[in-house]
C-alpha cells in the first residue's frame, strides 16, 4: 500500500491530464482511512497544491478536501476506537492540523472554497474547517479573525437551503465561537440570533431533533459570559421568542430523550441571561423582560404541571430561582402562584413539602432550597410573610392548611439530618439583614409534649444542639443561630438568659476533638464571639468583660482564635463561597450555605479584635455607639420633620390651586359687573335728560326742600372728590413729563454711541425700536388722560347744574297732591343719581390705578434700556481688547517667521517670498532627508 501511495502522489504531482490527476486523488481518498499516517505524510503537500491550482474542477477539489478531512479528523477513529490509545489518535490529528495551518494562506484558501455554492466543494470544505478548529481552536480562530470578512463569510452557511450544509454550518460555528469573545460578537452582529431562533422554530422547538440541540449549544456559546451579546439579545427583543419553547401540555409522560435534552438546554439558556454572576443591572433588566413577556409565568406552569420528568423539573426550579432572585416584581408574582390542587396551595408551600421530604431526590431538594433562598433574597416583604406564618397570632387553628412556617419547623426538628440542615438554612435566609424579624422570631413558642409548657424556638434549637445530634444537623442549627444573633442584641440577651448555653459553648470549644468535630467547634466559637460582639451588657453576669475572662480562663484567647479559623479553612467552605446555588456532590457534603460564608468573612476579623480589647476600649466603643445612636435619632427626627414639611407643602399647593380657581371665578364676576356699570351709566344719562325736563315742569316747594335737606352734604362731598381728582391729574401729568425727558436723554446718548463698531448696530436699532414703542405708549397714556380730564369737566358741569337746581327752587309755590307724588318720584331718582355718581368716582379711581401701572411699566422699560446701553459699551470694550490681543499674536508670529527664515538661510536653503511660503513646506521635508543622507 505504501509504495502505491507514493506512485499516486507522483501522478498527482506530475500528470498533465486532469482526468489522470482526478483518478489519483480519488484513489488516495479511498486509502486515506486505512493508511491515515502515510497518506498524511506523503500527500498533504500535493493535495494543497491541487486546491490551489485545480479550482475550476469541483470534483477533484471535493476528493482532495475529503482526503484531507480523513487525515486530519479524529471522528472516524473515535468511533472505532481500535487498540490505539485515544491519546495517540488525538496527537495525530493535531499534528497534521499544525502542518496544515503553518501556512496561514491554506486556511484562507479553505475559506474561499467554503464560499463556493457547489455541494461537492462546500460540504467537505465545511467539515474540514470544523475539524481544524476542533484540533487547534485558538490558532485557527485567530487566522479566520484576521482574514478579511472571514467570520461573515461563514455566517452564510446558516442560510443554505441544503439542510446537511446548514446543520454542519451550525457545528462549524460552534467550534468557531468556543471561548472567543471577539468572534462571538461578530457572529451575533451578523444576525445569528435571528437565524438560529428561526431554525429552532422551523424544527418544532423542543420537539425538534438534534439540529435544535446544536442551535441551542451555539446560542449558549454566544451568550455565556458575554455581556455585550446578552445585552444585544435583550435589546433585540429575542427573550420574547423563548416563551413558546416552554409551552407544555397537560399530559407530559413519554417524552423522548431528545426532547428532554432540548428542554434542558433551553432552560440553561434562560439561566445564562439571569445568572447571579452577570452584572446586576443586566440580570435585572432580563428578569423584568421575562416577566413582561410571560416567560416566568410559563416556567411556573411547568413547575406545577404533572408528569414532567424529574431532571427537567429540577432544572426548571433552578431556572425560576434565578429569574426571581432579587427582583421584587418577580418575587411578588411567584408568591401568588398556586398549585392546581384542591384546595389550591401556594407553590412555595408545595415546594417546601418536597424539601423536607426525605423520599425526594437530593438534587430536587437542593433546587427547592435554592428557589426559597432566591425568593427571599433582598425581599423584606417575602421574609416578613414567611416569619408571620410562625407567629402565634397567625397559626391556623383549624389545622386544615399547612403553612411555610409549620413545614420549616417540622423540618428543623425531624429525624432526617438533611431536612434539619435545609430548614435551618431556609429560616436563616428569612432573617438575613432583617433586624425586625430577628426580634419577632423570639416570640415563637413550640408545644413540645402534652402537659409540658411550650418552649421558645430559640431554646429548642439550643436544646437539640446540646443533645449531640448528627454533625449536619448541628452545623445547620449553628448557622441559623449565628445569623439570628448577629446584629441583634435582644436575641443575644435571650440566648445568654439560658444559663446552660455559655458553659455548653465553652465546653465544645475547649475540647480537642477529631477532624469531624472541628467545624462544629469553629461554629461554636463564632456563636460565642457574636454573643460578645453584639452584647449590650444588659445581663449583669453575662457582660462582655465577664465572657472574655471566661474565654481566657477556660479556652485561652489564642486557642479560641485558632478554633474560629477552622470555619474558613474548611475544604467545603470555599466551594460554597463561589456561587449562590447550593450544589453538593453528595448529601454528606451539604455543610455550608453561600450567604453564611459572607457572614463569616464579615465577622471573623471583628470578633478576633473584640476578644483582645480591654474593658476601657469597650467602654469607649459603647460611648461612640451611643453618640452614633443619638446622631441616628437626630437624623430620624429631621427625616420626620422633612416628611411633615412635605405634607404641609402638599396642602399649601392644594390651597393655592383652590385659591387660583376662586380668583378666576372672581375675575369673571368683575367683568360682568363692569358691563353692568356701563348699563347703569347709560340709564343714568337717560334719567338725567328726563330729570331736566321734570325740573322745568315742577319747581315745587316740597321738592326744593327735599333736595336742600338731603343733598347738600352729598354735593359737597362730590365737590371735594372732584378737587382731589384734579390734583392727582396734575401730579400724573408731571410724572409723565419727567419720564419724557429721561427717554429724550437716552435717545441722545444712543445717538452718540452711533460711532461704535458694527457688532453693536443691531442692538442699537433694537433700542430705537424700543424707544418708538415707548413713545407710542406715552401717546396712548396722554390721550387717556385727556379723555379723563374731559370726563372730569363734564362731571363738574353736571355738579353745577345740580347746585343751580338746589338753589333755584322757588319756595313760594304752594303744594298739591300731584306735586307731592312727583316730588317723591324725583327724590327716588336723585338718590339713584347719587349712587350712580359714586360708582362713577369708583370707576375713575380704578382707572387711575391702571395709569399708575402703565407708568411703572414704562419706568421699567427705561431701566431695561439703560441696562442695554451699558451692555453695549462693555461689548465694544471687549472687542477692542480682542483686536489688541490678535495684533500682539500677529507680531509674535512675524518674529518667529523671520527667525525661522534666518535659520534656514544659515543652513543654506533658498528662502522664498511670503507668497510662496505655503508651497515651501514640501521643501523643508526634502531638506531633512538630505541632511540624513549627508550624515
Amino acid at each position: 500500500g505504501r509504495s502505491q501511495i507514493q506512485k499516486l502522489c507522483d501522478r498527482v504531482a506530475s500528470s498533465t491530464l486532469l482526468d489522470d490527476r482526478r483518478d489519483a486523488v480519488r484513489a488516495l481518498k479511498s486509502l486515506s482511512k486505512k493508511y491515515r499516517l502515510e497518506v498524511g505524510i506523503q500527500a498533504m503537500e500535493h493535495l494543497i497544491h491541487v486546491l490551489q491550482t485545480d479550482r475550476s474542477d469541483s470534483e477533484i477539489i471535493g476528493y482532495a478536501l475529503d482526503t484531507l478531512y480523513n487525515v486530519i479528523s479524529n471522528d472516524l477513529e473515535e468511533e472505532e476506537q481500535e487498540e490505539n490509545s485515544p491519546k495517540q489518535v488525538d496527537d495525530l490529528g493535531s499534528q497534521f492540523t499544525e502542518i496544515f495551518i503553518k501556512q496561514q494562506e491554506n486556511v484562507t484558501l479553505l475559506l474561499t472554497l467554503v464560499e463556493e455554492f457547489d455541494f461537492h466543494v462546500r460540504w467537505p470544505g465545511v467539515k474540514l474547517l470544523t475539524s481544524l478548529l476542533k484540533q487547534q481552536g485558538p490558532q485557527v480562530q485567530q487566522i479566520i479573525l484576521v482574514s478579511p470578512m472571514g467570520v461573515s463569510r461563514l455566517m452564510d452557511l446558516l442560510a443554505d437551503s441544503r439542510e446537511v450544509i446548514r446543520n454542519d454550518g451550525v457545528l462549524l460555528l460552534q467550534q468557531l465561537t468556543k471561548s472567543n469573545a471577539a468572534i462571538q460578537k461578530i457572529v451575533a452582529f451578523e444576525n445569528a440570533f435571528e437565524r438560529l431562533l428561526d431554525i429552532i422554530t422551523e424544527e418544532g422547538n423542543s420537539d425538534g431533533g438534534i439540529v435544535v440541540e446544536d442551535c441551542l449549544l451555539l446560542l449558549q456559546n454566544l451568550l455565556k459570559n458575554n455581556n455585550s451579546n446578552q445585552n444585544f439579545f435583550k435589546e433585540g427583543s429575542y427573550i420574547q421568542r423563548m416563551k413558546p419553547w416552554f409551552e407544555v401540555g397537560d399530559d407530559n409522560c413519554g417524552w423522548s430523550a431528545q426532547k428532554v435534552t432540548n428542554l434542558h438546554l433551553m432552560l440553561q439558556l434562560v439561566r445564562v441571561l439571569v445568572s447571579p454572576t452577570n452584572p446586576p443591572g443586566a440580570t435585572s433588566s432580563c428578569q423584568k423582560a421575562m416577566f413582561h413577556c410571560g416567560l416566568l409565568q410559563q416556567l411556573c406552569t411547568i413547575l406545577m404541571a404533572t408528569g414532567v420528568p424529574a431532571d427537567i423539573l429540577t432544572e426548571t426550579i433552578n431556572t425560576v430561582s434565578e429569574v426571581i432572585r432579587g427582583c421584587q416584581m418577580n418575587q411578588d408574582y411567584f408568591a401568588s402562584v398556586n398549585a392546581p390542587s384542591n384546595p389550591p396551595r401556594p407553590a412555595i408551600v408545595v415546594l417546601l413539602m418536597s424539601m423536607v421530604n426525605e423520599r425526594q431526590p437530593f438534587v430536587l431538594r437542593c433546587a427547592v432550597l435554592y428557589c426559597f433562598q432566591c425568593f427571599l433574597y433582598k425581599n423584606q416583604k417575602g421574609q416578613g410573610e414567611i416569619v408571620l406564618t410562625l407567629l402565634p397570632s397567625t397559626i391556623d387553628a383549624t389545622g386544615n392548611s399547612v403553612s411555610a412556617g409549620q413545614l420549616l419547623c417540622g423540618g428543623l426538628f425531624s429525624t432526617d439530618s438533611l431536612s434539619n440542615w435545609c430548614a435551618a438554612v431556609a429560616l436563616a435566609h428569612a432573617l438575613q439583614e432583617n433586624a425586625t424579624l430577628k426580634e419577632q422570631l423570639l416570640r415563637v413558642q413550640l408545644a413540645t409534649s402534652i402537659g409540658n409548657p411550650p418552649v421558645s424556638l430559640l431554646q429548642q434549637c439550643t436544646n437539640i444542639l446540646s443533645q449531640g445530634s448528627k454533625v449536619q444537623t448541628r452545623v445547620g442549627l449553628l448557622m441559623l443561630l449565628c445569623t439570628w444573633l448577629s446584629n441583634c442584641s435582644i436575641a443575644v440577651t435571650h440566648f445568654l438568659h439560658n444559663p446552660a448555653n455559655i458553659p455548653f459553648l465553652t465546653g465544645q470549644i475547649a475540647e480537642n476533638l477529631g477532624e469531624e468535630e472541628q467545624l462544629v467547634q469553629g461554629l461554636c466559637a463564632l456563636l460565642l464571639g457574636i454573643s460578645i460582639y453584639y452584647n449590650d451588657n444588659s445581663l449583669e453576669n453575662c457582660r462582655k468583660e465577664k465572657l472574655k475572662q471566661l474565654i481566657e480562663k477556660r479556652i485561652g484567647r489564642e486557642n479560641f482564635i485558632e478554633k474560629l479559623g477552622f470555619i474558613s479553612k474548611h475544604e467545603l467552605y470555599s466551594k460554597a463561597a463561589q456561587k449562590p446555588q447550593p450544589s453538593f456532590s453528595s448529601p454528606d457534603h451539604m455543610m455550608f450555605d453561600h450567604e453564611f460564608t459572607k457572614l463569616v468573612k464579615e465577622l471573623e476579623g471583628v470578633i478576633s479584635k473584640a476578644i483582645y480589647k480591654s474593658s476601657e476600649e469597650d467602654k469607649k466603643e459603647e460611648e461612640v455607639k451611643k453618640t452614633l445612636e443619638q446622631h441616628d435619632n437626630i437624623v430620624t427626627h429631621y427625616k420626620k420633620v422633612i416628611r411633615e414639611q412635605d405634607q404641609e407643602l402638599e396642602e399649601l399647593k392644594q390651597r393655592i390651586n383652590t385659591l387660583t380657581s376662586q380668583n378666576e371665578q372672581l375675575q369673571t364676576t368683575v367683568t360682568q359687573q363692569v358691563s353692568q356699570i356701563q348699563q347703569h351709566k347709560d340709564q343714568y344719562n337717560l334719567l338725567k335728560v328726563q330729570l331736566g325736563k321734570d325740573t322745568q315742569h315742577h319747581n315745587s316747594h316740597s321738592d326744593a326742600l327735599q333736595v336742600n335737606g338731603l343733598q347738600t352734604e352729598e354735593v359737597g362731598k362730590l365737590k371735594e372728590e372732584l378737587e382731589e381728582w384734579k390734583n392727582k391729574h396734575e401730579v400724573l401729568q408731571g410724572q409723565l413729563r419727567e419720564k419724557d425727558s429721561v427717554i429724550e436723554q437716552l435717545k441722545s446718548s444712543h445717538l452718540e454711541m452711533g460711532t461704535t463698531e458694527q457688532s453693536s448696530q443691531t442692538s442699537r436699532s433694537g433700542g430705537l425700536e424700543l424707544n418708538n414703542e415707548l413713545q407710542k405708549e406715552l401717546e396712548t397714556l396722554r390721550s387717556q388722560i385727556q379723555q379723563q380730564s374731559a370726563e372730569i369737566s363734564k362731571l363738574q358741569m353736571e355738579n353745577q347744574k345740580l347746585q343751580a337746581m338746589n338753589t333755584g327752587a322757588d319756595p313760594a309755590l304752594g303744594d298739591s297732591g300731584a306735586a307731592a307724588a312727583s316730588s317723591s318720584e324725583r327724590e327716588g331718582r336723585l338718590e339713584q343719581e347719587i349712587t350712580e355718581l359714586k360708582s362713577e368716582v369708583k370707576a375713575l379711581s380704578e382707572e387711575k390705578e391702571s395709569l399708575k401701572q402703565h407708568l411703572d411699566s414704562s419706568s421699567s422699560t427705561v431701566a431695561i434700556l439703560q441696562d442695554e446701553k451699558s451692555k453695549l459699551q462693555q461689548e465694544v470694550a471687549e472687542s477692542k481688547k480682542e483686536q489688541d490681543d490678535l495684533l500682539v499674536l500677529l507680531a509674535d508670529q512675524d518674529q518667529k517667521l523671520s527667525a525661522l527664515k534666518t535659520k534656514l538661510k544659515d543652513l543654506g536653503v533658498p528662502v522664498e517670498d511670503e507668497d510662496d511660503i505655503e508651497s515651501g513646506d514640501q521643501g523643508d521635508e526634502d531638506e531633512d532627508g538630505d541632511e540624513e543622507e549627508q550624515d
Side-chain angles (χ1 to χ4, degrees):
R2 287 172 195 180
S3 55
Q4 197 187 351
I5 292 169
Q6 188 56 56
K7 277 181 195 152
L8 289 169
C9 288
D10 292 342
R11 270 172 67 192
V12 172
S14 55
S15 178
T16 48
L17 286 175
L18 177 59
D19 288 349
D20 209 13
R21 291 203 303 279
R22 190 191 303 122
D23 291 342
V25 174
R26 189 195 290 124
L28 281 171
K29 176 188 165 183
S30 59
L31 293 168
S32 60
K33 285 185 185 176
K34 193 174 179 191
Y35 300 105
R36 180 179 173 190
L37 182 64
E38 292 76 9
V39 172
I41 290 171
Q42 294 179 38
M44 171 103 64
E45 214 177 307
H46 302 301
L47 292 168
I48 290 171
H49 186 68
V50 167
L51 294 181
Q52 289 163 345
T53 54
D54 287 325
R55 286 281 300 278
S56 54
D57 183 66
S58 60
E59 226 175 316
I60 192 170
I61 297 285
Y63 295 141
L65 289 168
D66 280 332
T67 312
L68 284 168
Y69 173 73
N70 291 342
V71 168
I72 282 170
S73 162
N74 292 325
D75 299 352
L76 307 162
E77 305 221 353
E78 278 168 9
E79 284 165 25
E80 292 162 21
Q81 284 269 307
E82 295 164 32
E83 313 84 82
N84 294 10
S85 70
K87 186 79 194 92
Q88 282 176 311
V89 171
D90 283 351
D91 282 354
L92 204 55
S94 69
Q95 280 167 3
F96 280 133
T97 302
E98 223 168 291
I99 296 166
F100 184 86
I101 66 173
K102 197 165 252 157
Q103 302 298 322
Q104 290 200 6
E105 56 269 25
N106 291 345
V107 179
T108 325
L109 175 64
L110 194 49
L111 285 173
T112 322
L113 292 171
V114 167
E115 269 190 294
E116 295 280 338
F117 187 71
D118 192 312
F119 185 82
H120 297 291
V121 178
R122 193 173 225 185
W123 190 37
V126 168
K127 291 198 293 182
L128 176 56
L129 192 50
T130 310
S131 197
L132 292 172
L133 279 160
K134 272 187 189 167
Q135 308 287 353
Q136 298 280 348
Q139 293 90 317
V140 182
Q141 283 174 338
Q142 212 38 49
I143 298 169
I144 294 175
L145 198 53
V146 297
S147 68
M149 298 293 288
V151 179
S152 310
R153 286 190 276 181
L154 295 176
M155 283 299 298
D156 293 339
L157 298 170
L158 291 185
D160 198 308
S161 55
R162 297 159 296 192
E163 279 197 12
V164 60
I165 290 185
R166 182 197 69 184
N167 299 349
D168 279 347
V170 173
L171 295 174
L172 167 57
L173 288 167
Q174 267 182 38
Q175 295 299 327
L176 180 67
T177 52
K178 252 193 192 152
S179 41
N180 186 316
I183 293 180
Q184 287 162 8
K185 280 184 195 170
I186 297 171
V187 171
F189 281 112
E190 290 281 350
N191 212 14
F193 294 142
E194 188 78 46
R195 288 191 189 171
L196 292 169
L197 291 169
D198 285 345
I199 296 173
I200 292 172
T201 310
E202 284 160 26
E203 297 289 326
N205 293 331
S206 63
D207 292 317
I210 192 153
V211 190
V212 170
E213 179 184 339
D214 289 332
C215 287
L216 291 165
L217 286 167
L218 175 50
L219 280 169
Q220 211 168 56
N221 274 1
L222 294 174
L223 291 169
K224 203 167 189 175
N225 302 325
N226 190 323
N227 297 329
S228 98
N229 276 4
Q230 287 172 9
N231 192 40
F232 185 55
F233 191 84
K234 184 188 75 69
E235 295 300 328
S237 304
Y238 295 117
I239 289 178
Q240 289 83 312
R241 295 193 51 184
M242 298 166 88
K243 187 194 167 201
W245 295 354
F246 303 106
E247 284 164 7
V248 296
D250 298 329
D251 179 29
N252 295 305
C253 46
W255 285 6
S256 69
Q258 185 64 57
K259 184 179 173 82
V260 172
T261 306
N262 288 348
L263 260 171
H264 231 287
L265 288 168
M266 287 167 170
L267 289 165
Q268 277 169 5
L269 211 50
V270 175
R271 289 183 70 181
V272 163
L273 293 168
V274 290
S275 161
T277 56
N278 292 348
T283 293
S284 163
S285 61
C286 288
Q287 287 173 327
K288 286 175 187 155
M290 286 172 185
F291 174 77
H292 288 306
C293 75
L295 179 59
L296 172 60
Q297 294 79 331
Q298 200 61 57
L299 291 171
C300 289
T301 311
I302 297 182
L303 209 60
M304 295 292 128
T306 46
V308 176
D311 50 349
I312 290 295
L313 182 60
T314 304
E315 190 58 16
T316 305
I317 296 173
N318 285 327
T319 308
V320 168
S321 308
E322 287 175 359
V323 176
I324 66 173
R325 184 175 190 267
C327 175
Q328 190 68 56
M329 177 169 62
N330 295 6
Q331 289 165 331
D332 290 347
Y333 169 75
F334 183 68
S336 73
V337 175
N338 279 323
S341 56
N342 194 12
R345 283 199 170 124
I348 293 177
V349 170
V350 176
L351 288 170
L352 286 176
M353 288 166 120
S354 313
M355 185 180 83
V356 295
N357 176 354
E358 51 189 307
R359 289 192 301 281
Q360 292 289 351
F362 174 61
V363 282
L364 179 73
R365 296 172 74 181
C366 289
V368 173
L369 175 63
Y370 186 37
C371 190
F372 192 68
Q373 291 174 344
C374 290
F375 167 63
L376 297 177
Y377 182 68
K378 291 189 174 171
N379 179 7
Q380 294 209 326
K381 185 174 154 198
Q383 289 177 317
E385 284 160 7
I386 296 296
V387 170
L388 198 63
T389 59
L390 284 159
L391 297 179
S393 56
T394 53
I395 289 173
D396 186 2
T398 57
N400 278 350
S401 65
V402 62
S403 71
Q406 286 165 303
L407 286 168
L408 289 176
C409 278
L412 204 53
F413 307 124
S414 84
T415 51
D416 167 37
S417 66
L418 211 64
S419 292
N420 303 157
W421 190 92
C422 289
V425 168
L427 254 181
H429 277 257
L431 302 176
Q432 207 80 44
E433 315 255 321
N434 199 325
T436 326
L437 295 182
K438 290 177 184 179
E439 290 178 26
Q440 293 270 353
L441 204 62
L442 295 169
R443 292 170 40 210
V444 176
Q445 300 285 322
L446 305 168
T448 44
S449 50
I450 297 166
N452 288 347
V455 178
S456 78
L457 176 60
L458 186 69
Q459 179 68 53
Q460 187 62 10
C461 289
T462 52
N463 289 352
I464 292 174
L465 261 184
S466 56
Q467 287 159 13
S469 39
K470 281 189 183 168
V471 171
Q472 195 170 40
T473 301
R474 282 180 292 154
V475 168
L477 286 169
L478 282 163
M479 287 197 296
L480 170 58
L481 288 169
C482 288
T483 308
W484 192 348
L485 267 57
S486 69
N487 223 343
C488 181
S489 27
I490 299 178
V492 171
T493 308
H494 275 249
F495 179 75
L496 296 174
H497 214 275
N498 178 351
N501 285 341
I502 293 299
F504 166 72
L505 290 179
T506 49
Q508 286 284 311
I509 304 163
E511 280 185 54
N512 276 326
L513 303 164
E515 266 189 41
E516 179 75 335
E517 288 293 320
Q518 281 190 345
L519 178 52
V520 174
Q521 285 188 306
L523 290 167
C524 285
L526 180 64
L527 186 55
L528 182 54
I530 288 172
S531 305
I532 293 172
Y533 186 69
Y534 291 108
N535 188 335
D536 61 1
N537 292 332
S538 54
L539 287 177
E540 189 46 49
N541 49 357
C542 288
R543 297 170 70 83
K544 281 187 180 185
E545 201 43 50
K546 289 203 172 164
L547 293 177
K548 284 191 207 173
Q549 286 164 2
L550 193 69
I551 287 179
E552 185 51 58
K553 200 168 82 184
R554 296 269 168 85
I555 306 165
R557 285 185 208 173
E558 283 75 15
N559 190 15
F560 175 86
I561 301 291
E562 188 193 342
K563 298 279 165 82
L564 184 61
F566 282 167
I567 306 175
S568 53
K569 289 192 182 74
H570 198 279
E571 53 181 354
L572 298 173
Y573 174 87
S574 57
K575 187 160 191 290
Q578 281 163 13
K579 60 176 186 160
Q581 186 183 353
S583 55
F584 308 101
S585 47
S586 70
D588 52 340
H589 281 175
M590 199 176 208
M591 286 292 167
F592 281 110
D593 165 56
H594 175 74
E595 286 297 323
F596 180 73
T597 61
K598 290 186 192 171
L599 185 73
V600 174
K601 214 171 280 177
E602 192 186 317
L603 291 178
E604 206 174 14
V606 292
I607 287 174
S608 306
K609 272 188 200 152
I611 296 300
Y612 282 101
K613 264 189 193 139
S614 64
S615 51
E616 284 78 35
E617 284 177 293
D618 271 342
K619 270 185 196 136
K620 268 185 199 156
E621 226 172 68
E622 284 303 312
E623 281 164 22
V624 170
K625 261 191 194 162
K626 272 192 189 135
T627 47
L628 277 176
E629 270 172 26
Q630 284 170 347
H631 280 294
D632 283 351
N633 290 342
I634 293 170
V635 170
T636 325
H637 168 68
Y638 277 118
K639 275 186 184 164
K640 194 177 155 200
V641 170
I642 289 169
R643 254 202 306 277
E644 285 168 6
Q645 285 179 343
D646 274 353
Q647 231 171 337
E648 275 177 41
L649 262 177
E650 270 310 306
E651 285 166 16
L652 285 171
K653 274 184 192 163
Q654 282 172 347
R655 277 184 61 189
I656 286 174
N657 288 341
T658 52
L659 284 173
T660 315
S661 62
Q662 281 177 0
N663 185 20
E664 281 166 7
Q665 286 171 353
L666 286 172
Q667 289 282 5
T668 54
T669 323
V670 167
T671 327
Q672 287 169 359
Q673 285 177 345
V674 167
S675 69
Q676 281 176 349
I677 287 171
Q678 192 52 50
Q679 285 173 358
H680 287 316
K681 260 190 191 171
D682 298 345
Q683 285 174 353
Y684 164 69
N685 287 338
L686 262 173
L687 278 172
K688 206 166 54 187
V689 174
Q690 286 177 352
L691 190 73
K693 288 177 188 166
D694 285 356
T695 325
Q696 288 165 6
H697 291 314
H698 314 277
N699 279 343
S700 70
H701 171 64
S702 63
D703 181 26
L705 279 176
Q706 194 68 31
V707 174
N708 278 336
L710 286 174
Q711 258 76 33
T712 36
E713 255 176 70
E714 295 276 349
V715 171
K717 268 189 197 163
L718 280 173
K719 267 187 182 167
E720 282 169 28
E721 275 187 40
L722 278 171
E723 275 307 306
E724 247 174 71
W725 278 110
K726 275 187 194 162
N727 297 342
K728 283 177 187 169
H729 181 68
E730 287 301 310
V731 174
L732 284 173
Q733 286 278 22
Q735 284 179 338
L736 266 177
R737 278 196 292 278
E738 272 173 43
K739 300 280 176 215
D740 273 2
S741 65
V742 172
I743 285 169
E744 279 309 313
Q745 283 171 11
L746 270 176
K747 251 196 200 166
S748 57
S749 70
H750 265 298
L751 290 171
E752 282 162 32
M753 278 172 63
T755 53
T756 53
E757 285 162 82
Q758 289 170 343
S759 66
S760 66
Q761 233 155 14
T762 49
S763 52
R764 197 186 318 121
S765 65
L768 284 172
E769 273 171 44
L770 259 172
N771 250 336
N772 293 342
E773 277 175 41
L774 268 179
Q775 287 297 119
K776 279 182 201 162
E777 215 172 305
L778 280 173
E779 285 307 316
T780 53
L781 282 176
R782 279 210 189 102
S783 64
Q784 276 183 357
I785 285 173
Q786 277 164 357
Q787 278 173 9
Q788 284 202 333
S789 35
E791 230 171 289
I792 287 172
S793 52
K794 215 158 81 181
L795 280 170
Q796 277 174 323
M797 300 245 307
E798 281 166 19
N799 198 18
Q800 282 163 1
K801 270 186 201 165
L802 274 173
Q803 276 174 310
M805 274 164 53
N806 287 354
T807 49
D810 187 357
L813 284 170
D815 52 348
S816 67
S822 71
S823 79
S824 63
E825 207 176 291
R826 213 175 286 139
E827 181 184 321
R829 279 192 203 144
L830 271 170
E831 258 175 42
Q832 197 179 356
E833 211 167 301
I834 296 289
T835 43
E836 301 289 2
L837 280 169
K838 275 185 184 168
S839 64
E840 186 88 6
V841 167
K842 190 177 172 195
L844 279 170
S845 63
E846 279 170 12
E847 269 180 53
K848 168 201 156 196
E849 208 44 54
S850 78
L851 269 175
K852 240 186 182 169
Q853 281 174 358
H854 270 296
L855 269 172
D856 290 349
S857 76
S858 67
S859 53
S860 70
T861 318
V862 169
I864 291 169
L865 277 172
Q866 281 172 329
D867 199 21
E868 290 254 329
K869 173 183 158 187
S870 62
K871 269 188 198 159
L872 287 174
Q873 284 167 332
Q874 202 176 340
E875 269 177 40
V876 171
E878 273 174 22
S879 59
K880 263 190 191 159
K881 186 170 172 290
E882 269 177 40
Q883 212 169 352
D884 293 348
D885 290 352
L886 276 171
L887 285 170
V888 173
L889 262 176
L890 273 172
D892 271 8
Q893 294 290 86
D894 271 355
Q895 265 180 327
K896 278 184 194 165
L897 266 175
S898 55
L900 281 169
K901 274 188 200 166
T902 51
K903 248 190 203 171
L904 283 169
K905 276 180 192 160
D906 295 348
L907 288 166
V909 181
V911 179
E912 296 89 334
D913 291 345
E914 294 285 318
D915 305 337
D916 303 336
I917 274 180
E918 285 89 339
S919 58
D921 292 351
Q922 202 60 42
D924 293 357
E925 285 170 25
D926 297 348
E927 184 58 37
D928 294 347
D930 295 352
E931 273 187 81
E932 280 166 25
E933 281 168 35
Q934 286 162 10
D935 296 348

